Amino acid sequence: MSLIILTSAHRLRSACRLQRIQGHMMSTKAGSEVLFEKVGNAGVITLNRPKALNALNLTMIRHIYPQLKNWDKDSETDLVIIKGAGEKAFCAGGDIRAVTEAGKAGDSLAQDFFREEYILNNTIGTYQKPYVALIDGITMGGGVGLSVHGRFRVATEKTLFAMPETGIGLFPDVGGGYFLPRLQGKLGLFLALTGFRLKGRDIQRVGVATHFVQSDKIVSLEKDLIDLKSPSNSDVAQLLDSYQEQSSLDAEKPFVLQEQTEAIDRLFSAGSVEEIMENLKRDGSAFALKQTETLAKMSPTSLKLTFRQIQEGARMSLQEVLVMEYRLSQACMRGHDFYEGVRAVLIDKDQSPKWKPSTLSGVSEQAIEECFSSLGERDLKL
């Protein structure tokens, strides 16, 4: 921990600033997994598990949440920046393996992780001060939750965005039910069901990121953000706009789904997942057949949960969505497919999960309805 403090110290002008940083440093464990620095009037959060692609665990959540609350109240903090350590990822998702083990053992982590993660997502979504997520690298699942609800999200050419949860027996959570249906046309539903990956500038084009800045400009952008004096949201937006204007990389490249946008809107406009599958098979184009193949690999239960989550979420506030998603998370913890999906994709890596039920027709409306029902006293409280 002293190393972290010393490396910060040379950038700080006085011993009293150094003391403040020491106050912000948490336990040794979290002090290594998530770093908090106060640089000038900016609070900087660094997700620091580069070997694990900065995957978010409960310890990190439990340190980020109170720190954000403190900075929101602190008159000497004007802005918060969140970034990931290393070259590869902002945050590749939640620490799903730990949750799986807890769920199997009946450990409370399976409730605590989702509850506290969603409370953190809501804190970011309602943050009063400018919040800037530098999503330079892989940003999936839990990493999306740490960024997409904040006011500013800066993608680079290295950013890879996806919500691949239907492939592990889960659903695109962390407020996916809020931001996905608000993307253009049926794009959000398409991304939610298929786990399709977007890269670089395309992430900004669809509105998941607010800005696109070349990766080699990020260090200088961060410095300029920190140097802003008492910035308002419009000051931050202006600075980010100016960096985006200097970033011409891939500007000529068309949007990856440009030619399929009309087909996505048409094929994914349906009253059920079964209807979407019929639309795709009937269409018969190479794109449609590829989506049929992709969806056939996903958990049928997850597809149906996700379809309804996106439908319902379109009419809900972020808070209502998170309450709904907490119910769904606990239904997945009680079920079969989440454990099987994690086994097949992350543990044994045989990529051939045995879903139960194995077909869409095997997933009853009643089973889905139960997943959305209230948990009473155990519901998420925001």
Side-chain angles (χ1 to χ4, degrees):
M1 197 200 291
S2 56
L3 267 178
I4 300 161
I5 292 167
L6 286 172
T7 52
S8 308
H10 75 272
R11 295 211 305 274
L12 297 165
R13 295 186 188 88
S14 65
C16 90
R17 281 264 172 85
L18 178 55
Q19 276 172 339
R20 202 179 310 153
I21 281 204
Q22 285 172 315
H24 287 320
M25 287 298 171
M26 305 297 178
S27 69
T28 312
K29 178 91 165 75
S32 62
E33 292 187 332
V34 57
L35 314 180
F36 302 101
E37 287 178 90
K38 192 71 191 303
V39 191
N41 277 12
V44 182
I45 302 170
T46 307
L47 308 173
N48 191 37
R49 299 181 69 204
K51 288 197 171 86
L53 300 177
N54 299 322
L56 185 66
N57 61 31
L58 188 56
T59 308
M60 293 161 78
I61 293 167
R62 284 181 172 170
H63 287 80
I64 296 169
Y65 173 74
Q67 187 61 72
L68 280 180
K69 287 292 204 191
N70 289 344
W71 279 338
D72 216 9
K73 291 196 291 265
D74 176 22
S75 61
E76 291 183 32
T77 305
D78 294 326
L79 145 104
V80 172
I81 298 168
I82 186 167
K83 60 183 182 172
E87 297 290 303
K88 290 184 179 167
F90 166 68
C91 171
D95 194 351
I96 287 296
R97 288 180 77 152
V99 176
T100 314
E101 284 157 26
K104 280 183 184 163
D107 186 278
S108 71
L109 175 71
Q111 290 103 52
D112 299 344
F113 178 83
F114 292 103
R115 180 185 297 113
E116 295 182 40
E117 183 182 27
Y118 297 177
I119 290 170
L120 177 57
N121 300 150
N122 184 53
T123 302
I124 293 166
T126 54
Y127 212 63
Q128 296 304 302
K129 293 179 179 176
Y131 180 96
V132 185
L134 302 174
I135 55 172
D136 184 21
I138 299 165
T139 303
M140 295 185 185
V144 176
L146 289 176
S147 55
V148 78
H149 306 299
R151 199 172 294 258
F152 302 105
R153 294 91 65 189
V154 182
T156 74
E157 72 279 7
K158 293 182 183 173
T159 310
L160 174 66
F161 160 89
M163 296 297 277
E165 289 82 359
T166 56
I168 56 163
L170 205 56
F171 59 95
D173 66 333
V174 297
Y178 182 76
F179 81 88
L180 288 164
R182 284 163 176 79
L183 302 182
Q184 200 182 333
K186 291 291 174 185
L187 181 65
L189 179 62
F190 167 75
L191 295 173
L193 294 174
T194 64
F196 187 89
R197 296 173 170 212
L198 290 172
K199 294 177 186 165
R201 199 178 275 278
D202 286 343
I203 297 162
Q204 185 259 329
R205 284 173 171 149
V206 303
V208 169
T210 57
H211 293 81
F212 174 82
V213 174
Q214 281 166 222
S215 189
D216 60 7
K217 298 185 193 297
I218 288 289
V219 172
S220 135
L221 169 62
E222 188 182 340
K223 186 185 176 303
D224 285 349
L225 282 167
I226 286 164
D227 288 345
L228 288 172
K229 297 283 173 271
S230 303
S232 63
N233 282 314
S234 62
D235 297 332
V236 175
Q238 216 172 342
L239 179 65
L240 293 174
D241 289 346
S242 74
Y243 267 84
Q244 179 167 284
E245 281 158 25
Q246 301 160 39
S247 300
S248 56
L249 187 74
D250 296 336
E252 302 306 308
K253 264 190 178 170
F255 173 46
V256 67
L257 292 168
Q258 193 172 301
E259 290 179 13
Q260 283 83 36
T261 301
E262 180 277 327
I264 288 169
D265 287 349
R266 181 168 43 81
L267 299 169
F268 284 76
S269 288
S272 66
V273 183
E274 287 91 336
E275 268 183 54
I276 291 171
M277 294 297 268
E278 280 167 30
N279 290 348
L280 291 167
K281 284 172 186 157
R282 203 179 306 119
D283 182 85
S285 65
F287 173 75
L289 292 175
K290 189 164 187 211
Q291 305 324 308
T292 311
E293 265 174 50
T294 299
L295 293 173
K297 292 177 184 153
M298 304 306 187
S299 153
T301 302
S302 289
L303 290 175
K304 286 201 169 185
L305 282 183
T306 300
F307 182 84
R308 176 147 166 210
Q309 171 207 7
I310 300 298
Q311 269 189 318
E312 306 256 337
R315 301 184 292 272
M316 290 178 165
S317 66
L318 175 59
Q319 290 71 34
E320 289 167 332
V321 164
L322 291 168
V323 170
M324 166 179 75
E325 290 181 357
Y326 184 70
R327 293 171 181 173
L328 297 182
S329 77
Q330 297 312 294
C332 291
M333 293 303 103
R334 296 191 300 269
H336 163 274
D337 281 6
F338 172 65
Y339 303 101
E340 175 58 11
V342 171
R343 180 205 64 73
V345 175
L346 299 175
I347 297 170
D348 299 341
K349 297 183 180 171
D350 57 30
Q351 310 302 327
S352 38
K354 307 281 182 284
W355 305 123
K356 285 181 191 168
S358 61
T359 60
L360 287 167
S361 58
V363 184
S364 71
E365 284 310 305
Q366 189 192 341
I368 295 300
E369 193 62 46
E370 280 168 12
C371 297
F372 283 84
S373 56
S374 168
L375 298 169
E377 278 302 296
R378 290 178 296 115
D379 258 337
L380 178 66
K381 291 164 189 71
L382 294 169

